[in-house]
Amino acid sequence: MKQKLINLILRRPELLTVVIIVLYYLCIGIVNPQFIAMDTFVRILYNGTMLILVTAGVSAVIITKNIDASIGSLLGLAATFGGSYLNTADPSLLIFIMITVGTGLLGGLFNGIGVAYCGVPSIIMTLGTLALFRGLLALYTGGSWIDTVPEWFLNFSRIPVLGLYYPTWITLILLGVLILFFGRFRWGRYIYATGNSLDGSLLQGIPVKRTVLLAFSLSGVMTGIAALIFTSQIGTIPTQAGVGMEIKAIAAAVIGGISLMGGTGSIVGAALGAVLLETISYSLVFFRVPGYWNSFISGFLLLVIVVANSRIEIYLRNEKEREIDEKVKRRYLQLAEKTL
Amino acid sequence: MGSLKKYLLWPSVLILLILIEFGIFGTFSSRFLNISNLLYSIGDFLYIAIAALPMTLIIASGAIDISIGAIMGLGSILTGLVWVKTGNIQLAFFAGLAGGAVSGFINGSLILMTQVNSLVITLGSSFLFSGLALTLSGLAGSTGFEGIGGFPDSFVNIANGEVLGLPNPVIILLGLIILFYFILHHTKFGRYLFLIGMSPEGARYSGIPTARVVVITYVISGIIAAFAGIMLASYFTSARSDLGADAPLTVITCTVLGGASIYGGTGSIIGTTLASLLIGYLKYGLQMIKITSHQTNVFLGIVLIVSISGRYFWEQISSRHKNKMALKHEELL
């Protein structure tokens, strides 16, 4: 029984995240029962859509054993390009979506080409584009904000449908598509294989470079979609749009059980990690914690969760190994008895 | 001979780049090529250049430290806070350094304890440290991003004064470069770092105290980052919690541009120093021809990406050339 449980958690690390989320809810609920309500959850899902989307994107990159640190700037850039198109005389929704998501895709492709075909280590490449994209944004806007988003587009994220808001629905649908893609489709499995063992994948004939390129473009597209939601939810696009998003997304992915060593983790876990981070920041707002405590508390909780997560995992792994050792020992003794 | 050539090639490319840079900026702005100007402008990017030195140690050991920016802010705020509360500037200075050491110790021990990638731990701890700095600056009565000022002249002089015609930043930088050159390239500790970077498992099996080495490296990094933050506070005559927030990107750029591999096992203090000068004067020169700091980011990103991919292609071509030569040699036999 215990063995089965250990195996289950080792295979599906996102279960730990679920446990942590439930525990966190209960802890907050004991202090203030009002926190546990359907409305809270709807709010968290609404606030968290952007983070969930970019976390799903960055997870694809992390699973290939690379990292994407440029999403914060890319989100800002895509939102800026899209937003400035919305300010033209007669904007059409389709072209707007194409511009925003297209910017994300191009940014992701740029990262991917640098990493896969030009031999730049991903952390260097994306730190470089983090600066590059932010600089392009500043060059393009000249430092001014975009704050006239049409009313019809703002309403898009303000009117609930079937209890949830449009951005939440879009996020849930996209998550479903991604889960299918990673679990059932050839290129999705390539992403896991590449991260698990680069040399092994090469020998198997997997197009490793194209797989890495695909992962980065996926991250770019998700960032572009997050930029759409940013424009609709926030309504203004400052030059600082999306700053720090990459840090939150990487943290969420890691909390959700995606290993930076590549090859393991699931999109569900990543989304849950994002929900947990969003729950923490929502609870801080809920208790009206002064703003300057915010990053201290979330940093502290983040470290506690990461430490707890890894300690539990190490413990489980040791436990499993011990169990296997014992099994082998027993079998050996049996054999010895028989032969004697 | 071959290895010597390889050892000297990259630094000479960097020197060439610096000369080209001086040439370009010199033609755009006549004020740029002025010895005292060039020396004094080191104060502008002193914090980058000195923080890049311990970063070279860390990257050589195959790890990374994103939290240095936050530690800079924390160090400067601690110094400011202790100065406001006690009025003893020496105590304040050492309080800042101690804060950096403790931060580094937290980083190192968390990485050891959890076996989680250093990138994640230092990302999380950078939230923690910058949040702490912001909270402390709130305690000192300066709300939000307002600074703590009113430092005595002796403190302000550290980064703004000069000795024997040499600006203090130059002397500080030179001293630290020599110290770190010695640590990385001429001590057992430095060899341990390279070994850990090449193969952590191998290092452990050969009896190297990896845990101790990792923690000490992070403590050094924390102390130097806090020192860089204090230098910033002295240079700007006020301590703020967001001082050095832009540092990690630039510092990592300098280190990698200087020839350290992000996968560990290589790195050189000389290369890092040259790269810091290259980047520092690039920023300074762009400022001089009136390009804003945001737009400088574009150049920074391009320089980083182009130089690293350039090196990759250069290595590809040279190894292909070597293979061809080897084949020819075999045919002759």
Side-chain angles (χ1 to χ4, degrees):
Chain A
M1 179 57 210
K2 191 180 161 199
Q3 193 60 30
K4 260 185 189 161
L5 196 70
I6 289 173
N7 273 335
L8 185 70
I9 294 178
L10 276 179
R11 213 170 44 240
R12 306 231 67 116
E14 58 265 32
L15 282 177
L16 271 182
T17 320
V18 175
V19 173
I20 293 175
I21 291 179
V22 171
L23 278 180
Y24 191 82
Y25 264 91
L26 287 180
C27 287
I28 300 286
I30 290 168
V31 182
N32 189 341
Q34 278 175 334
F35 189 75
I36 303 179
M38 198 56 207
D39 187 51
T40 310
F41 205 67
V42 171
R43 273 278 132 203
I44 288 170
L45 276 186
Y46 176 76
N47 292 341
T49 41
M50 275 189 283
L51 187 60
I52 293 173
L53 286 174
V54 291
T55 306
V58 85
S59 299
V61 175
I62 297 179
I63 290 172
T64 65
K65 209 177 175 179
N66 285 300
I67 201 151
D68 190 347
S70 72
I71 31 185
S73 296
L74 187 57
L75 191 141
L77 190 67
T80 305
F81 283 166
S84 65
Y85 171 73
L86 275 184
N87 274 332
T88 53
D90 186 25
S92 87
L93 184 62
L94 189 68
I95 295 180
F96 164 67
I97 290 176
M98 274 166 61
I99 288 179
T100 315
V101 180
T103 310
L105 176 64
L106 281 181
L109 277 175
F110 186 67
N111 282 334
I113 289 171
V115 173
Y117 295 95
C118 300
V120 186
S122 55
I123 173 103
I124 302 298
M125 183 70 198
T126 52
L127 278 179
T129 48
L130 181 75
L132 181 65
F133 294 151
R134 186 66 61 189
L136 284 179
L137 190 161
L139 273 181
Y140 183 75
T141 60
S144 58
W145 292 26
I146 295 169
D147 47 9
T148 45
V149 175
E151 194 67 20
W152 57 267
F153 191 62
L154 292 178
N155 283 336
F156 176 73
S157 61
R158 284 179 184 163
I159 298 165
V161 184
L162 299 174
L164 292 174
Y165 295 87
Y166 265 122
T168 315
W169 283 118
I170 293 174
T171 308
L172 289 178
I173 292 167
L174 278 173
L175 276 182
V177 172
L178 278 179
I179 290 165
L180 262 184
F181 174 73
F182 276 91
R184 294 273 171 267
F185 281 74
R186 176 185 302 201
W187 283 93
R189 301 315 295 172
Y190 282 176
I191 287 180
Y192 278 97
T194 307
N196 198 349
S197 161
L198 192 68
D199 294 336
S201 312
L202 259 174
L203 291 174
Q204 290 260 322
I206 292 172
V208 173
K209 288 188 174 179
R210 263 182 291 161
T211 307
V212 172
L213 187 61
L214 172 78
F216 274 101
S217 0
L218 202 61
S219 173
V221 168
M222 297 312 270
T223 310
I225 296 171
L228 282 180
I229 293 175
F230 183 95
T231 315
S232 168
Q233 276 187 347
I234 313 280
T236 54
I237 303 159
T239 48
Q240 297 294 311
V243 166
M245 202 64 167
E246 64 282 350
I247 295 177
K248 271 183 163 179
I250 295 169
V254 171
I255 287 175
I258 289 178
S259 159
L260 281 180
M261 302 312 289
T264 56
S266 71
I267 295 298
V268 184
L272 285 172
V275 169
L276 178 57
L277 273 194
E278 209 56 53
T279 309
I280 290 173
S281 58
Y282 186 80
S283 65
L284 291 182
V285 176
F286 189 79
F287 284 115
R288 301 213 172 75
V289 177
Y292 54 83
W293 279 97
N294 237 336
S295 73
F296 175 70
I297 294 176
S298 29
F300 180 73
L301 285 176
L302 189 79
L303 283 179
V304 167
I305 292 169
V306 168
V307 169
N309 236 342
S310 80
R311 290 313 301 183
I312 292 173
E313 229 187 276
I314 291 172
Y315 167 77
L316 290 177
R317 197 155 285 150
N318 287 344
E319 198 75 348
K320 190 180 169 185
E321 265 168 21
R322 209 172 48 101
E323 203 86 1
I324 292 172
D325 280 354
E326 243 160 49
K327 231 184 235 171
V328 170
K329 210 160 122 197
R330 235 177 296 145
R331 186 95 188 96
Y332 181 78
L333 283 178
Q334 269 176 10
L335 274 175
E337 236 165 56
K338 236 181 237 169
T339 45
L340 284 173
Chain B
M1 182 61 209
S3 66
L4 187 69
K5 225 161 88 186
K6 200 178 145 200
Y7 200 67
L8 287 179
L9 186 65
W10 189 247
S12 35
V13 170
L14 286 174
I15 291 175
L16 191 71
L17 283 176
I18 292 177
L19 289 179
I20 293 173
E21 186 181 87
F22 279 7
I24 292 174
F25 285 129
T27 51
F28 273 112
S29 156
S30 53
R31 286 180 304 144
F32 185 81
L33 285 182
N34 175 331
I35 294 293
S36 81
N37 213 345
L38 287 179
L39 280 181
Y40 271 95
S41 65
I42 284 184
D44 266 9
F45 56 86
L46 177 72
Y47 71 110
I48 298 291
I50 59 179
L53 299 171
M55 185 63 95
T56 312
L57 262 56
I58 288 186
I59 289 187
S61 76
I64 204 161
D65 188 353
I66 304 279
S67 67
I68 50 165
I71 297 179
M72 284 182 194
L74 186 61
S76 78
I77 280 294
L78 270 175
T79 306
L81 189 66
V82 175
W83 159 245
V84 167
K85 297 285 177 208
T86 66
N88 183 345
I89 196 63
Q90 272 142 345
L91 186 68
F93 187 84
F94 285 110
L97 289 187
V102 172
S103 311
F105 183 76
I106 291 175
N107 276 337
S109 40
L110 275 181
I111 289 167
L112 281 180
M113 213 168 87
T114 59
Q115 304 293 325
V116 172
N117 195 308
S118 56
L119 181 69
V120 177
I121 295 291
T122 52
L123 265 183
S125 67
S126 77
F127 267 116
L128 186 72
F129 301 147
S130 66
L132 191 62
L134 201 57
T135 313
L136 285 179
S137 81
L139 286 184
S142 68
T143 48
F145 286 106
E146 218 176 279
I148 302 174
F151 287 113
D153 285 344
S154 62
F155 180 72
V156 173
N157 247 341
I158 300 176
N160 292 310
E162 57 171 57
V163 176
L164 300 173
L166 272 180
N168 281 344
V170 178
I171 296 171
I172 293 169
L173 183 59
L174 270 179
L176 283 174
I177 289 169
I178 293 168
L179 177 69
F180 274 90
Y181 180 77
F182 190 72
I183 290 178
L184 187 62
H185 297 295
H186 290 283
T187 62
K188 211 164 32 168
F189 184 76
R191 300 311 298 169
Y192 284 172
L193 284 175
F194 282 123
L195 269 175
I196 293 172
M198 277 170 198
S199 161
E201 294 282 291
R204 220 181 47 246
Y205 287 141
S206 30
I208 292 171
T210 32
R212 210 187 315 153
V213 173
V214 166
V215 172
I216 290 175
T217 320
Y218 274 95
V219 170
I220 292 175
S221 168
I223 292 173
I224 296 293
F227 179 68
I230 297 170
M231 286 301 103
L232 273 176
S234 158
Y235 191 64
F236 292 126
T237 66
S238 91
R240 290 186 354 179
S241 61
D242 65 335
L243 281 181
D246 63 331
L249 169 68
T250 323
V251 168
I252 294 169
T253 306
C254 292
T255 312
V256 172
L257 205 57
S261 156
I262 203 83
Y263 303 120
T266 56
S268 103
I269 293 293
I270 303 286
T272 300
T273 309
L274 288 172
S276 318
L277 290 179
L278 179 71
I279 300 283
Y281 282 121
L282 178 70
K283 277 189 157 176
Y284 177 67
L286 287 173
Q287 245 171 46
M288 262 200 142
I289 56 176
K290 300 208 169 50
I291 287 177
T292 64
S293 66
H294 269 301
Q295 294 157 347
T296 313
N297 277 341
V298 177
F299 292 93
L300 213 69
I302 291 175
V303 166
L304 180 64
I305 293 167
V306 167
S307 58
I308 300 298
S309 62
R311 231 174 76 181
Y312 170 76
F313 285 124
W314 169 254
E315 271 161 21
Q316 291 263 305
I317 291 168
S318 70
S319 75
R320 201 171 296 159
H321 177 71
K322 269 182 208 152
N323 287 348
K324 232 180 240 168
M325 297 305 275
L327 274 178
K328 223 179 244 170
H329 188 70
E330 213 158 73
E331 272 166 24
L332 283 179
L333 287 175

